[in-house]
Amino acid sequence: PADTRDAAQAQVRSAPAPVTDVARLCVCDLLVAQCDTNCCCDPDCSAEDFSLFTTCSIPVVMGDSQLCSQKAAVYSLDVEANPPERIFKLIDRVNPSIFCIHSTNYEQALYLKSPEIPTAENFDELLDKFGGATFSAEPDSWNLDTDAQNSPETNETSRYEYGVPVQTEDAFLRLPSPVVSSWCSDANPAGFLVNQATKCIRSVSVEKCDSIQALSMLFYINSSILASVFQVNITVQSIVVQSVNGMRTLLSPSEVLRLPKVLDELCINAVLGVNYHITHTDTGEIIEAAAAFVLGAISREVLSIEQSFEISFTQENTQPVPLSGNPGYVVGLPVRAGFQPQGYPSPAAFLFASLALSSNKHSQLTILHSTSTQDCLAAQGARTPVLFGYNMISGCKLRITAAMKCQPLAQTLLDVLKGQSFPEYVASFGNSQAQDVLDWVPITQLHISEQMIPHTLQSSCQIPVSLGIEVKWTKYGSLVNPQARIVNVTATITSTTLKQLPSGRERIIPITSSVVFTDISSPAEPSYKAWPTINIKLPFDFFYPFV
């Protein structure tokens, strides 16, 4: 009936009855069956005992001080009475703080539950519940107001904030991760705007591979993500199949779904990796979700596999830019760089360039990548990222012949050293955004000339032979947790003048690129003054019996 349902919902939504009686609490009652001196709440004390008290050691007794409203037992002494009497009052105490607990509706947290002792009758049940690598300690009655949580009004108001778990139809978007041990736990929720990458171990059995949910693609895409006014389905972005020997093949887009199955003592189409990519608006609304899978084959001898999971978030109409720290640079991560196009007030994120190619989406500072052939003309376009804190040097060899033209050769070498689009700025912090103009350090470019080398040309010309990049950085912020900040970058191009070379002769010139990181942090000044020098002579036996 409707009245019964309304009464049940009202009972669920109302605060439960308190489980703590403050009138029976007494923290100063230490003696058994004896009256404790000045303990006004001691039930063993009589009126004659109270008449001898000088004060109440515990004047107020209450439960959790973080509750918004609760009962409080107040004890005092009426010293004007003859003989003095104890006064007891039970009042409603209101917490003035705006951050308070409305009700303690989780009663199991208010007392210690004795663990269930394994017996022959309940051993199998306990093994199923606690025998895995992880288990849930939440009781079945955790969600008291199920109807209110699943109401349409609740789903329509969901716009995600940073760190909030991404909700799905059944629970939340899973991002398996190791918990305590290296074994996978599927209870790790993916937090909004929290880029994560995890690896964990999953126990497998080839005979049961088609029934293990974590090995199936459906386990990761069968639930829709709850958005503000609609649900977003997780689409399959790509599928890469990995063979037993490690060779990977990208499947065509037409082949969308592959489920694990046993074939010739192999478990094929088992999920080895999942990469989620979530697209959201600037107001925190998820509008698109995609997953890229890596499927593989598992042989019968394998008892466990390593799975990798990753999730990234991108705002619509923008391109993802990988960070190299938050906020300071992390040693070993790429140095971020970009250039300022014409007509833009700040280095545009979607027009970032690296030293290699203007279309390099990673926006990294790069230098020449050394190859096994050491041929400069063949090394054009081969780049390696500059890693923060790592001094690097690379190079190649240029064979000069009489048939070479000087000006085209000089431009080719410049492209080899600097790349096709040399950046103008370097991010001062690992998480610098394109719109923050002050977070970008301009690259100072210098040009110097060296000695002359004979060449076949009648008129001399110059060719670049080396690129040296010096990155000056400092420790920024607190001395306890300093952050690495780039303050200056200088790129020096060294050129050599070519002159006439006798006909039929050749010369090999080394071409080099180098990066040097220099810490210019000022040493921390000591907070104490130096001790004065005392010129005295100690007795010969001052340290006796020690040497």
Side-chain angles (χ1 to χ4, degrees):
D3 54 351
T4 305
R5 183 174 64 255
D6 295 341
Q9 292 181 354
Q11 182 179 3
V12 170
R13 291 188 175 91
S14 62
V19 297
T20 303
D21 187 3
V22 294
R24 297 183 181 181
L25 293 179
C26 190
V27 295
C28 58
D29 184 9
L30 305 179
L31 301 178
V32 179
Q34 297 183 32
C35 178
D36 292 82
T37 304
N38 291 336
C39 184
C40 297
C41 57
D42 192 346
D44 299 324
C45 298
S46 60
E48 291 78 7
D49 296 326
F50 291 139
S51 63
L52 301 177
F53 287 2
T54 57
T55 184
C56 290
S57 59
I58 305 295
V60 179
V61 178
M62 59 182 181
D64 192 350
S65 60
Q66 297 182 358
L67 291 175
C68 299
S69 177
Q70 60 176 318
K71 294 291 184 179
V74 180
Y75 299 92
S76 61
L77 292 176
D78 186 4
V79 294
E80 297 181 357
N82 191 14
E85 299 177 351
R86 184 199 70 168
I87 301 177
F88 168 72
K89 294 181 180 179
L90 193 63
I91 64 173
D92 292 326
R93 193 178 185 92
V94 178
N95 190 347
S97 175
I98 60 174
F99 300 104
C100 57
I101 301 175
H102 176 66
S103 62
T104 54
N105 53 5
Y106 183 32
E107 298 184 4
Q108 297 190 26
L110 302 178
Y111 63 91
L112 179 62
K113 183 178 180 181
S114 301
E116 189 174 359
I117 300 176
T119 61
E121 290 75 16
N122 64 359
F123 181 81
D124 294 336
E125 180 182 355
L126 295 178
L127 183 62
D128 294 339
K129 185 176 181 181
F130 303 104
T134 60
F135 54 86
S136 175
E138 298 177 358
D140 296 335
S141 60
W142 181 275
N143 297 323
L144 298 178
D145 194 357
T146 307
D147 296 335
Q149 292 179 355
N150 296 333
S151 60
E153 292 81 2
T154 304
N155 296 336
E156 291 179 359
T157 59
S158 60
R159 270 192 180 149
Y160 291 98
E161 297 179 356
Y162 177 84
V164 175
V166 178
Q167 299 179 1
T168 58
E169 292 176 313
D170 50 358
F172 47 78
L173 185 62
R174 305 179 183 90
L175 192 72
S177 64
V179 178
V180 182
S181 63
S182 58
W183 295 99
C184 293
S185 170
D186 298 326
N188 178 43
F192 184 66
L193 295 183
V194 180
N195 296 334
Q196 300 183 62
T198 62
K199 290 184 179 180
C200 55
I201 305 299
R202 179 92 60 182
S203 60
V204 296
S205 174
V206 174
E207 293 79 5
K208 302 179 181 179
C209 81
D210 54 351
S211 61
I212 301 177
Q213 293 184 350
L215 300 181
S216 174
M217 294 176 57
L218 290 176
F219 182 70
Y220 305 97
I221 61 174
N222 59 355
S223 296
S224 301
I225 296 178
L226 300 182
S228 58
V229 294
F230 57 89
Q231 296 181 356
V232 177
N233 295 326
I234 303 176
T235 60
V236 178
Q237 187 177 35
S238 63
I239 299 177
V240 175
V241 176
Q242 177 176 305
S243 61
V244 178
N245 56 9
M247 183 177 296
R248 294 191 173 187
T249 304
L250 178 64
L251 299 183
S252 59
S254 59
E255 303 179 50
V256 177
L257 189 61
R258 288 197 169 192
L259 300 179
K261 61 181 180 179
V262 180
L263 180 63
D264 296 334
E265 298 187 352
L266 291 176
C267 176
I268 62 174
N269 299 331
V271 174
L272 301 181
V274 183
N275 190 339
Y276 290 107
H277 185 75
I278 309 298
T279 305
H280 62 91
T281 64
D282 56 352
T283 59
E285 179 183 353
I286 295 177
I287 59 176
E288 186 178 351
F293 289 90
V294 176
L295 307 181
I298 305 173
S299 61
R300 183 179 297 273
E301 295 79 12
V302 177
L303 300 179
S304 62
I305 61 172
E306 181 184 64
Q307 292 180 311
S308 60
F309 303 92
E310 188 174 353
I311 186 171
S312 59
F313 295 83
T314 303
Q315 185 174 328
E316 63 175 344
N317 300 326
T318 61
Q319 286 187 355
V321 179
L323 304 181
S324 297
N326 189 21
Y329 274 98
V330 176
V331 175
L333 293 184
V335 175
R336 303 173 59 221
F339 66 92
Q340 182 175 348
Q342 296 294 332
Y344 288 89
S346 63
F350 55 88
L351 290 176
F352 269 155
S354 71
L355 293 179
L357 296 172
S358 59
S359 60
N360 189 329
K361 64 180 180 180
H362 298 297
S363 312
Q364 299 170 356
L365 188 67
T366 63
I367 63 173
L368 171 66
H369 178 72
S370 298
T371 60
S372 58
T373 60
Q374 292 292 304
D375 186 1
C376 290
L377 300 181
Q380 189 175 7
R383 312 297 297 177
T384 186
V386 174
L387 305 180
F388 182 83
Y390 287 4
N391 296 337
M392 307 171 64
I393 185 170
S394 62
C396 59
K397 294 180 181 180
L398 172 65
R399 183 184 300 273
I400 299 179
T401 62
M404 291 184 176
K405 301 294 183 180
C406 181
Q407 295 300 335
L409 179 62
Q411 185 61 44
T412 301
L413 290 178
L414 193 62
D415 293 341
V416 170
L417 290 173
K418 299 177 59 176
Q420 295 181 3
S421 297
F422 192 76
E424 299 175 353
Y425 294 88
V426 166
S428 58
F429 292 100
N431 66 344
S432 298
Q433 300 298 319
Q435 62 270 18
D436 300 331
V437 182
L438 298 180
D439 275 358
W440 293 85
V441 178
I443 299 177
T444 303
Q445 300 188 34
L446 302 177
H447 296 269
I448 60 176
S449 299
E450 276 187 351
Q451 71 279 2
M452 297 183 180
I453 297 179
H455 194 266
T456 56
L457 296 180
Q458 298 294 334
S459 60
S460 63
C461 70
Q462 290 187 337
I463 62 170
V465 293
S466 68
L467 168 65
I469 300 176
E470 183 183 15
V471 181
K472 296 181 180 180
W473 64 281
T474 183
K475 298 181 179 69
Y476 180 83
S478 171
L479 293 176
V480 179
N481 185 24
Q483 302 295 311
R485 175 185 182 183
I486 295 178
V487 296
N488 182 269
V489 179
T490 303
T492 304
I493 293 289
T494 302
S495 300
T496 296
T497 303
L498 299 178
K499 281 210 169 183
Q500 185 174 1
L501 184 70
S503 178
R505 296 188 58 182
E506 296 180 351
R507 180 176 292 272
I508 297 178
I509 301 177
I511 307 297
T512 59
S513 296
S514 62
V515 178
V516 176
F517 286 85
T518 304
D519 184 4
I520 61 173
S521 303
S522 300
E525 297 182 359
S527 58
Y528 59 88
K529 295 182 179 180
W531 291 100
T533 302
I534 303 176
N535 296 320
I536 61 174
K537 186 177 181 180
L538 299 176
F540 71 95
D541 59 348
F542 182 81
F543 295 102
Y544 181 83
F546 304 101
V547 178

